[in-house]
Amino acid sequence: MSDILYMVLPCYNEEEVLPETSRQLKEKYQTLISSGKISSKSRIVFVNDGSKDKTWSIIQELHEKDPMFSGVNLSRNRGHQNALLAGLMEAKNCADMVISMDADLQDDIGVIDAMVDEYYKGHDVVYGARSARDKDTWFKRTTAEGFYKLTNAMGGEVVFNHADCRLMSKRALEGLAMYKEVNLFLRGIVPMIGYPSTIVTYERNERFAGESKYPLKKMLAFAMEGITSLSTKPIRYVTTGGILFCFIAFAMMIYSLVTYLTGNATSSGWSSLIISLWFVGGVQMIALGVIGEYVGKIYMEAKERPRFIVERFLNDTEYDAK
Ligand code: UDP
Ligand code: MG
């Protein structure tokens, strides 16, 4: 018996691409099913994220004509991450593995085979990473790659050049469901779940039709969201900055003392003023950092993340769970 594969594709105003996307995916599914790689109970789930165009009626039509297509309709637009999570949470109850992908065919659907292969090799999470970005504009490429580097530097663990094209097994999705946070940044949370994982690369295509729903403004907001929702490391930087300021104050003290003693100080009071300026600044920053550490702790506690996820419990004793 082969396993059940669900695909989840969030859609926001994607009427232009849906007919083509569904056609290509269906073709892929048919070959996968006939070669016995995936069960015939596998489905393709489109999540309508409060689109203003005909997206939902197209999804309904697809479902009526072919049970291979399913649809989830959100009550209103909630953004890509939430739409994706909604689809994943619906799919995890019916599937053994779930692949998420954008609806615009920018992710190469050929990667599905590679992901399913890795799944059967025992990987619970398979990240799809872009091998090259030469089809993106220079601007998009630079900003996007800068985003991964910045997020990692700020303490968020993200897989380089991996967006939201990934395969997750049922138990990995159950792990994901334990993360109750509202500020959702999926690509940073998935690595936290653990379990065996691997990366497959694919080439990123141009958008098949329609426009990107991620203009620069949204991308910057997304990066900010990613960093602040994943880690409290920026707070550490404030403390470090404070300590640095105190060091500068110390250096200034020596410098101004020397100037004073050699009689080069231009006006009286300059030395004490310049030392206290740096010193008070430094002390204030350290104090802010200390307060920030506690705020950060409260923040992390409020997320109620699971402290651990047990992969396996080797134990033969049977007991009554009464
Ligand atoms: N999307 C969504 N809700 C939104 C914005 C986008 O579900 O509010 C979907 C969109 O339909 C697409 C995916 O998220 O399937 C990625 O969006 P897009 O292709 O515009 O982003 P880009 O590839 O340019 O980063
Ligand atoms: Mg896209």
Side-chain angles (χ1 to χ4, degrees), residues 14 102-107 130 140 204-209 211-214:
E14 299 286 11
D102 287 353
D104 55 12
L105 292 184
Q106 276 192 290
D107 307 308
R130 287 155 209 179
K140 173 98 191 179
R204 173 108 164 148
N205 299 317
E206 271 167 66
R207 215 171 208 287
F208 166 72
E211 277 172 14
S212 168
K213 274 97 199 162
Y214 271 100

Side-chain angles (χ1 to χ4, degrees), residues 242-276:
I243 295 169
L244 195 75
F245 270 40
C246 284
F247 271 113
I248 296 175
F250 193 67
M252 278 299 186
M253 190 162 82
I254 294 166
Y255 170 69
S256 54
L257 269 181
V258 170
T259 341
Y260 176 72
L261 289 176
T262 51
N264 287 335
T266 38
S267 54
S268 62
W270 176 83
S271 315
S272 51
L273 198 69
I274 209 75
I275 297 167
S276 39

